[in-house]
Amino acid sequence: MRTWRSAICNLQFAICILQSLLLSGCIGYHVGTNSLYAPDVATVYVPMIESDSYRRDLGERLTEAVVKEIELKTPCKVVSTPNADSILSARLMTDTRKRIIQNGFSDPRVSETEIRAEVNWLNRRRLPIVPAQAIPIPAELAAFSQTSNLIPEAGQSVATSQQQAIQRLAQQIVGTMEAPW
């Protein structure tokens, strides 16, 4: 009788130890969206995005989209002073539109709008907030680019195609603010 009790006690003790080991492995994990972003950055300053494009208001529209994405998807607060915890600056490098499909009269039926931007995210000491990488990436590969199709027969205009590309680019820029896994 005594051996059965000691065997059951030993089994219960082993199960308790196993459970504590399994649960303690999750202590380093964080829950929620706050763990996805830099813990030392609470405020972000987004200056007006400069544009090398000849099309009007692209920089302003991208700035507005980036600010909305930051406020919507990150725990950071966008402020209007350069004394914030970080500065997210960008420059629109190119804005191109090319014909993908044409009819027999060389009229464009489907066009593609591409917007390319170069982005810098600096902390309060003006140092880049980027994860350390073993392989340095050339500047031309670090630029962000998004495309959007323009189909006039479906009721799209150049403005709606540009806005779709701007929205996608803003999502991509804010997505890079996440900490790497």
Side-chain angles (χ1 to χ4, degrees):
M1 207 49 150
R2 189 164 206 142
T3 59
W4 282 99
R5 281 189 189 168
S6 64
I8 291 174
C9 257
N10 287 341
L11 182 62
Q12 288 175 344
F13 181 71
I15 289 173
C16 287
I17 294 291
L18 183 63
Q19 285 178 344
S20 65
L21 288 175
L22 289 176
L23 293 177
S24 68
C26 299
I27 289 175
Y29 295 112
H30 300 282
V31 178
T33 59
N34 291 342
S35 65
L36 295 176
Y37 301 96
D40 59 336
V41 176
T43 58
V44 179
Y45 171 62
V46 182
M48 188 61 64
I49 295 175
E50 299 175 16
S51 175
D52 292 341
S53 173
Y54 291 110
R55 299 186 200 274
R56 294 180 45 173
D57 301 329
L58 283 183
E60 290 85 357
R61 289 166 57 193
L62 182 59
T63 304
E64 180 182 357
V66 167
V67 167
K68 285 181 180 178
E69 281 292 314
I70 290 173
E71 291 283 338
L72 182 67
K73 297 194 176 161
T74 71
C76 301
K77 175 75 176 146
V78 177
V79 295
S80 61
T81 176
N83 295 330
D85 294 336
S86 65
I87 298 174
L88 182 70
S89 61
R91 179 180 198 85
L92 279 174
M93 304 304 286
T94 60
D95 163 43
T96 58
R97 191 172 63 193
K98 63 181 177 183
R99 180 176 41 205
I100 296 176
I101 299 173
Q102 64 186 11
N103 66 6
F105 301 107
S106 295
D107 294 329
R109 291 296 169 223
V110 177
S111 298
E112 182 180 71
T113 301
E114 179 184 18
I115 298 176
R116 183 177 298 268
E118 188 177 77
V119 179
N120 293 317
W121 190 28
L122 306 172
N123 65 9
R124 186 176 287 190
R125 291 171 281 169
R126 305 302 184 249
L127 299 172
I129 303 176
V130 291
Q133 297 178 359
I135 302 171
I137 298 175
E140 58 269 9
L141 295 179
F144 299 102
S145 175
Q146 277 299 323
T147 60
S148 173
N149 289 336
L150 165 65
I151 306 171
E153 282 82 11
Q156 282 186 316
S157 66
V158 173
T160 58
S161 175
Q162 284 177 345
Q163 189 61 34
Q164 187 178 29
I166 285 171
Q167 192 64 35
R168 289 178 180 169
L169 186 60
Q171 290 170 352
Q172 186 178 11
I173 290 170
V174 173
T176 61
M177 293 173 68
E178 292 182 8
W181 288 86

